[in-house]
Amino acid sequence: MKFGLLGRGVLLAALVMFAAPVTTALTVTLVSSSVAAQTVNSIEVVGNRRVEVETIRSYFKAGPRGTLDPAAVDDGLKALIETGLFADVRISRAGGHIVVTVVENPVINRVAFEGNKKVKDEQLTAEIQSKPRGTLSRPMVQSDAQRIAEIYRHSGRYDVHVTPEIIEQPNNRVDLVFTIEEGGKTGVKTIEFVGNSYYSSYRLKDVIKTHETNFLSFLGGNDVYDPDRVEADRDLIRRFYLKHGFADVQVVAALTEYDPQRKGFLITFKIDEGQQYRVGSVDYQSSIGTLDGRSLASFSHVNVGSVYNAEALEKSVEEMQIEASRRGYPFAIVRPRGDRNFEAHTVSIVFSVDEGPRTYIERINIRGNTRTRDYVLRREFDISEGDAYNRALVDRAERRLKNLDFFKNVKITTEPGSSSDRVILNVDVEEKSTGDFSISGGYSTTDGALAEVSISERNFLGRGLFAKAAVTYGQYARGLSLSYVDPYFLDYRVALGLDAYYREQMANNFIAYGTKTIGFSPRLGFQLREDLSLQLRYSIYQQQVTLPLTLANCNNTIGGSQVGNNFLAFNPTPAFVAANGGNAFGATDTSGLGLFCFSDGEASLPVRKELANGATLTSAVGYSLNYNTLDNNKNPTDGLLIDFRQDFAGVGGDVTYLKTQIDGKYYTPLVADIVGLVHVQSGILNKIGNNELRMLDQFQMGPNLVRGFAPNGIGPRDINPYGTQDALGGTKYWGASLELQMPFWFLPKEVGLKGAVYADAGGLYDYQGPTTWAATSELTTPQNSNCIKPTQAPTATPGTCTGLVYDNGNTVRSSVGVGLIWSSPFGPLRFDYAIPLTKGPFDRVQEFKFGGGTTF
């Protein structure tokens, strides 16, 4: 409840401001000879209202003979003061008796908070110790004021002031009011590094979580000073150096200073890098007679000559210890030892395998999971109650629990069990919100403006399931999708995914036709290793082409009738139209054959054939292999990512093919925070059986292969100058890119801007889709063959028509360009400007490309 000034009225004189702890005044008047003869029951209590007399007497402990000596009286006095029940305690002697005079502390009637807008009353109430109907303790009130201030400081408000006030009420009751001046958030103005020479300060700012305040900081929170986060940053810096060969590194201190003029904190990390080491030798030893240490060498990630990597060393120890357990040595412990050669800057590593203590897990206690089911946590353990205690498996379980992203904190501790060979595992977690509701917006030169509304839950029903529903609506793309993932299908470490979707792609500046697709795809995911995963999938979807009537009205047969369901059986050229009395580009037709269709353009033959065939059903099975050693999936600077996939269509449905694709990216740090990227990709589409490949099944390429070209701007194309000249796609493609990504050193790191220069090359060729109409519906009248090639002038002498005329050259396309990459608070944004160096005669160029989006 909030208290206003008017409500206090005349009680202002009774307000007590807590500027310093109150010291209880005590007066003790004792006569040793008289006191010694007193008993506990002879103590007289004066001034008590709520506390019983016997309760007060119980704090005085009589000696062996039942009498009180001066020491006992003194101990009783101290014990009464420590209870916090009394504002004053006095001991005196009257008429041969000990008299204890007490002044009881008031009872708290209400606890209220004023001025708090950023922190709710409920959170503050849970943190303080002073409670309604409890006894008022001035030291406790001071402590509560400090607790409230700490809550605000942890949220970055270091300018907070908390003033406790007491309002007296009748019957020795009081109202306790905490008046809070919250102040503004206290940001981090500068982050400096001292002692670093191998890695620049700019690079180290990528490692830590704390960021400097900038003009976009209001969209985030990592610029707010948090001492716990700063301390965690020290460990992140140390682990970063250890991963890159600096075995002697020390982060000596993280100095923080508040600058009242800038109203923010200045943070300085003092680093002693030491020397970078390489691995000089690797040896394996075992004190277990039946276990050869060298037999575990294949599980080591440490190689001679490589840069020393403490993370790889830890991973090696874990995998070797787990393998020893699988071989029947559950108590084996693998200990690494490193001997430094300071002159050669090498480390000789010895993995020693020894028999550890025979300890068993008595019980696994799960605590703090108020929403998540117990079995969701337990299934992340490869050990259970009764198994041998294996620290490597426990560490792996803790890492898995953290990776679930269901909890704010995860900590696994041990305590002794019921006997010396038993241990109890305590798993303490703190739940966090796992549901997301987002409204996303974006714009790209390909898809135009796009908006998406989605709702997702990573821990659905507390069972560790993932569920998501999303609706997309944009200028050229619309759709609906539903997704569901069970990461432990049938209690195995196999992820089952189900996806249902509807997508509508509309005609735009790059394609003259639209498509509608509705489909369903179940999949199974297997984590083969930490860096290798396999996915098996089945896809079934129905797809059809949509076209405006104006682009599909050259479908008159001689005499104006249709041929079956094939609207496009007659494919006249402008020359044929003119030769037969029609006006190819006007609205008059003297032939009576309906031959003025080219006046408003016409889609390519394969597109109109897709339209004529109606909805097509594709049923395909496939798999993907993914190898990932990236150091950071969102902003990688080192590592390799390879994705290989194959899909076979023909498990029922209307089409058959085998599609194979591979995509590889390799990142490596160069000099001065510059990151190099090598990107290669390739694909091939194979025809299976006698079914014709559809145009929609061909690969379509543009800036996703070579930047500087329009979407669908590369490869085989219909070259009829009087039609829409649609891209036909191809059955083979390859691409290679070299890119350098570099920061803008003159800008604050927290802005998230970096530049890129690149060179791309690639090709798309070998169109194998429809080029003529099927024999069952193709017209063979003399008039239909009386046409010319579209590359000739309309007035040329009519010749023999060969069907679709298209460019199918295998020209190598190449370009160079620059890019701007922004990891903005609005989401990832990228701007590219590329100039084609080589191109095909009918390719379409788009030098500028922009794409990005956000969630709000």
Side-chain angles (χ1 to χ4, degrees), residues 681-794:
Q681 53 183 317
S682 179
I684 184 169
L685 177 68
N686 297 106
K687 178 180 177 181
I688 296 179
N690 297 321
N691 286 355
E692 188 176 49
L693 290 173
R694 298 191 310 156
M695 183 203 71
L696 293 179
D697 293 329
Q698 315 275 319
F699 296 113
Q700 297 284 356
M701 291 292 168
N704 54 335
L705 189 70
V706 181
R707 284 162 286 195
F709 291 88
N712 295 4
I714 293 175
R717 183 177 298 276
D718 177 5
I719 57 176
N720 184 344
Y722 309 111
T724 55
Q725 295 189 329
D726 296 297
L728 306 176
T731 59
K732 301 179 180 68
Y733 76 89
W734 66 272
S737 299
L738 293 176
E739 181 171 317
L740 297 178
Q741 298 179 358
M742 63 207 71
F744 294 108
W745 293 277
F746 56 87
L747 291 176
K749 179 74 174 180
E750 290 69 29
V751 174
L753 276 173
K754 59 183 177 181
V757 295
Y758 51 81
D760 296 344
L764 173 67
Y765 51 94
D766 196 15
Y767 169 74
Q768 295 184 21
T771 56
T772 62
W773 297 103
T776 55
S777 60
E778 185 175 7
L779 292 180
T780 57
T781 61
Q783 293 92 339
N784 193 42
S785 61
N786 188 18
C787 59
I788 64 171
K789 296 181 179 181
T791 53
Q792 298 176 275

Side-chain angles (χ1 to χ4, degrees), residues 517-529:
T517 308
I518 183 170
F520 173 72
S521 177
R523 63 187 189 276
L524 293 174
F526 304 84
Q527 193 69 37
L528 305 180
R529 293 189 333 210

Side-chain angles (χ1 to χ4, degrees), residues 567-774:
F567 296 96
L568 313 174
F570 187 38
N571 192 37
T573 65
F576 175 70
V577 173
N580 285 274
N583 187 339
F585 304 101
T588 60
D589 178 21
T590 59
S591 68
L593 301 177
L595 299 175
F596 52 85
C597 54
F598 279 98
S599 61
D600 51 12
E602 195 70 6
S604 301
L605 181 150
V607 177
R608 288 179 287 136
K609 190 168 185 179
E610 293 282 357
L611 179 68
N613 291 337
T616 302
L617 184 67
T618 300
S619 177
V621 294
Y623 71 93
S624 297
L625 270 175
N626 184 274
Y627 178 74
N628 187 347
T629 63
L630 297 182
D631 59 343
N632 187 312
N633 288 330
K634 291 184 178 180
N635 187 24
T637 60
D638 192 13
L640 180 64
L641 175 64
I642 300 176
D643 185 72
F644 177 80
R645 58 180 57 216
Q646 280 191 310
D647 291 280
F648 169 73
V651 189
D654 302 321
V655 298
T656 57
Y657 61 75
L658 176 64
K659 184 178 287 188
T660 305
Q661 294 173 271
I662 187 170
D663 189 288
K665 295 179 180 179
Y666 175 67
Y667 295 84
T668 182
L670 300 176
V671 295
D673 303 317
I674 298 176
V675 176
L677 166 62
V678 179
H679 182 196
V680 293
Q681 53 183 317
S682 179
I684 184 169
L685 177 68
N686 297 106
K687 178 180 177 181
I688 296 179
N690 297 321
N691 286 355
E692 188 176 49
L693 290 173
R694 298 191 310 156
M695 183 203 71
L696 293 179
D697 293 329
Q698 315 275 319
F699 296 113
Q700 297 284 356
M701 291 292 168
N704 54 335
L705 189 70
V706 181
R707 284 162 286 195
F709 291 88
N712 295 4
I714 293 175
R717 183 177 298 276
D718 177 5
I719 57 176
N720 184 344
Y722 309 111
T724 55
Q725 295 189 329
D726 296 297
L728 306 176
T731 59
K732 301 179 180 68
Y733 76 89
W734 66 272
S737 299
L738 293 176
E739 181 171 317
L740 297 178
Q741 298 179 358
M742 63 207 71
F744 294 108
W745 293 277
F746 56 87
L747 291 176
K749 179 74 174 180
E750 290 69 29
V751 174
L753 276 173
K754 59 183 177 181
V757 295
Y758 51 81
D760 296 344
L764 173 67
Y765 51 94
D766 196 15
Y767 169 74
Q768 295 184 21
T771 56
T772 62
W773 297 103

Side-chain angles (χ1 to χ4, degrees), residues 207 232-246 249-251 308-312 314-315 399:
V207 177
D233 287 339
R234 289 184 62 185
D235 186 60
L236 289 175
I237 296 171
R238 185 184 68 85
R239 294 184 67 85
F240 173 78
Y241 272 97
L242 289 174
K243 182 179 178 179
H244 293 86
F246 294 86
V249 66
Q250 292 183 16
V251 183
Y308 171 78
N309 185 335
E311 187 176 291
E314 292 174 1
K315 188 180 298 183
R399 187 169 61 251

Side-chain angles (χ1 to χ4, degrees), residues 3 157 171 305 415 497 690 711:
F3 292 84
R157 298 180 182 275
N171 300 321
E415 65 179 54
N690 297 321

Side-chain angles (χ1 to χ4, degrees), residues 121-151:
D121 285 4
E122 292 78 8
Q123 183 179 350
L124 297 176
T125 301
E127 290 293 330
I128 63 175
Q129 292 181 323
S130 299
K131 304 293 183 183
R133 296 182 297 278
T135 302
L136 178 70
S137 170
R138 288 171 173 77
M140 186 183 295
V141 171
Q142 285 295 329
S143 177
D144 288 340
Q146 292 297 324
R147 286 190 179 91
I148 294 173
E150 283 300 318
I151 293 173

